[in-house]
Amino acid sequence: MPDCQLQRFASDCPSRILFDQIADKWSMMVLTVLAPAPLRFNAIKRRLEGVTQKALTQCLRRLERNGLVSRRVIPVSPVAVEYAITPLGRTLLAPFKELYAWTVANLPEVEAARDAFDERIAA
């Protein structure tokens, strides 16, 4: 295994790859949407405004590959697929909630910083 020292962020470190995959825009939202109960693909898509079918498919595959989401084929006609958050995936919910709370609490300060930056750049 490559050297994965804290703060080094080596490009070949498996932790960096995993971090990239769980911290992306859609992964956090998909896990949050699946927290209350398993859902079918279109139900997930309806809850995530702006996600494309391709982006959601790729995200669900990554989450499933990493053991954070399970996929179950429902033998009905037509065949349906249901996704559920796994116990490992549930361990991410608390950190995601903290990150979301930080985002909401600090949004006014961040927006003020953006406005100040934009004004400096425009001048």
Side-chain angles (χ1 to χ4, degrees):
M1 182 157 117
D3 184 16
C4 295
Q5 296 172 359
L6 187 62
Q7 301 292 320
R8 185 164 171 264
F9 300 113
S11 62
D12 60 345
C13 180
S15 67
R16 180 171 164 174
I17 295 165
L18 179 58
F19 184 76
D20 287 344
Q21 292 179 355
I22 61 174
D24 75 38
K25 170 168 80 172
W26 298 119
S27 293
M28 292 182 171
M29 291 187 230
V30 166
L31 290 172
T32 302
V33 164
L34 289 174
L39 294 171
R40 290 168 52 168
F41 183 91
N42 285 329
I44 299 168
K45 190 171 183 312
R46 280 192 297 273
R47 287 171 173 79
L48 298 176
E49 187 174 318
V51 70
T52 64
Q53 183 162 335
K54 180 181 177 182
L56 182 56
T57 298
Q58 291 172 341
C59 178
L60 287 166
R61 284 185 183 155
R62 277 191 313 272
L63 292 172
E64 182 182 7
R65 183 170 183 260
N66 288 312
L68 305 174
V69 164
S70 64
R71 178 181 184 271
R72 181 174 73 99
V73 176
I74 303 168
V76 295
S77 182
V79 174
V81 177
E82 183 179 76
Y83 295 90
I85 191 169
T86 64
L88 181 60
R90 285 198 181 283
T91 65
L92 285 169
L93 293 178
F96 286 172
K97 286 180 184 178
E98 289 295 320
L99 181 58
Y100 182 74
W102 180 93
T103 302
V104 171
N106 292 285
L107 190 55
E109 188 174 343
V110 170
E111 288 178 336
R114 289 175 180 165
D115 291 343
F117 178 88
D118 292 346
E119 287 176 18
R120 283 193 316 272
I121 296 300

